[in-house]
Amino acid sequence: MAQYIFYALSIVTILSALYVVFAKSPMYSVIAMIVCFFSIAGHYVLLNAQFLAIVHVIVYAGAIMVLFLFVVMLLNLNQEPDKSHGKLLRVAAAISGGMLFLVLLLSLNTSETGTFILPEKSDIGLVEHVGKKLFNEYVLPFEISSVLLLSAIIGSVVLAKKES
Amino acid sequence: MENALVSVPHNWYLLLSSLLFCIGVMGVLFRRNVIVILMCIELMLNSVNLLLVSFSAYAQNADGQVFVFFVMVVAAAEVAVGLALIVSIYRNVASTDIDSMKKLKW
């Protein structure tokens, strides 16, 4: 049962990622990206990482994609389909992407493999476990990331402000 | 439902996330619209996140999930600043085409 859910989610993920790249209008790209993010959240649920699945839906599908959608509508990009590169450059892009996948595949194929010892019931992805890790071992990076977010807020306001 | 970690081999996650990463790389090279290029970078970040979560779930170690949490924080900050940059560039050159931003290429 679980593997069929995995196959269905993977097909949705790959197809929507391809549609992000090949869609004519940026608006369709954003919509496909939202579908892709939801299917990745489904993968997280399948991997028993419920906390990250919720955070992923809130942060990515909720905040980041709304920001993208807002900018696409603000700049009026959904009117005309944007021009693409010349044919040579497009073929070169497709070939280099495919070659990179081939290299990754071959390196994975030839690398040594081990086996994981899998437990009966996995609960490390729940809020309790991740929260304990986050506030014991990783409390300093957690605090520093709040400073990073503050600087990102200030930086984006300064950059997007109309200079008088 | 049975445990998904048992019925899905970990190699499938390696395959899926490397395919997703390569689609992101191809999108960055393929498109001329800066917003779509930024979205493809997000796609690459997400493929790495998926790989980290799968390794952390299979190895039963929650460290990977904490890393993914921090990657999400950095991605949110990156998108906010990147979109502000795109808006301010659009105000100057009235286009989001990557070929219209080559003033540094002298």
Side-chain angles (χ1 to χ4, degrees):
Chain A
M1 178 64 189
Q3 71 225 44
Y4 295 115
I5 298 174
F6 173 78
Y7 292 146
L9 279 173
S10 304
I11 289 169
V12 172
T13 311
I14 300 285
L15 287 184
S16 56
L18 282 173
Y19 196 73
V20 170
V21 176
F22 292 112
K24 284 269 179 282
S25 151
M27 200 62 139
Y28 291 126
S29 290
V30 174
I31 304 288
M33 198 76 189
I34 293 172
V35 175
C36 187
F37 282 158
F38 270 108
S39 62
I40 288 176
H43 277 296
Y44 289 169
V45 172
L46 205 62
L47 283 167
N48 276 324
Q50 281 88 347
F51 169 69
L52 276 181
I54 300 292
V55 170
H56 187 267
V57 167
I58 292 172
V59 171
Y60 274 103
I64 292 183
M65 291 329 281
V66 168
L67 210 57
F68 269 109
L69 212 58
F70 182 70
V71 169
V72 168
M73 289 165 123
L74 186 76
L75 305 186
N76 252 336
L77 295 177
N78 46 346
Q79 312 273 313
E80 81 270 37
D82 49 315
K83 305 167 291 270
S84 56
H85 284 296
K87 195 170 185 192
L88 190 70
L89 266 175
R90 271 182 292 169
V91 171
I95 288 176
S96 44
M99 291 296 266
L100 179 62
F101 182 59
L102 213 65
V103 168
L104 282 176
L105 212 63
L106 285 177
S107 65
L108 287 178
N109 202 22
T110 52
S111 56
E112 277 182 49
T113 52
T115 46
F116 292 112
I117 304 141
L118 295 172
E120 284 295 303
K121 204 168 145 293
S122 158
D123 58 352
I124 57 152
L126 300 182
V127 186
E128 192 190 339
H129 260 83
V130 181
K132 270 181 187 154
K133 265 262 183 322
L134 200 59
F135 287 105
N136 285 323
E137 282 172 61
Y138 295 95
V139 67
L140 184 65
F142 183 76
E143 297 297 335
I144 292 174
S145 69
S146 66
V147 179
L148 174 74
L149 281 178
L150 181 67
S151 63
I153 294 168
I154 296 170
S156 56
V157 168
V158 167
L159 282 172
K161 202 171 57 130
K162 201 176 271 180
E163 58 258 42
S164 51
Chain B
M1 198 174 80
E2 84 232 62
N3 196 347
L5 302 181
V6 179
S7 55
V8 180
H10 185 251
N11 288 352
W12 288 108
Y13 283 104
L14 288 171
L15 202 65
L16 174 68
S17 37
S18 46
L19 190 56
L20 216 54
F21 189 86
C22 293
I23 291 172
V25 170
M26 200 178 70
V28 169
L29 298 172
F30 197 85
R31 296 297 296 258
R32 276 169 69 181
N33 194 329
V34 189
I35 294 178
V36 182
I37 288 176
L38 205 58
M39 281 201 291
C40 291
I41 293 172
E42 289 299 306
L43 208 61
M44 287 194 263
L45 276 172
N46 265 289
S47 77
V48 176
N49 275 355
L50 181 61
L51 195 63
L52 268 172
V53 172
S54 75
F55 266 112
S56 116
Y58 277 84
Q60 290 297 303
N61 187 347
D63 285 343
Q65 307 200 0
V66 177
F67 283 145
V68 170
F69 186 74
F70 288 127
V71 170
M72 281 178 186
V73 171
V74 173
E78 171 235 332
V79 163
V81 175
L83 286 175
L85 274 175
I86 289 174
V87 169
S88 98
I89 288 171
Y90 186 82
R91 233 182 248 136
N92 285 318
V93 296
S95 149
T96 53
D97 196 327
I98 195 97
D99 286 343
S100 65
M101 305 169 193
K102 52 185 181 190
K103 286 226 170 115
L104 280 177
K105 216 179 87 178
W106 283 93

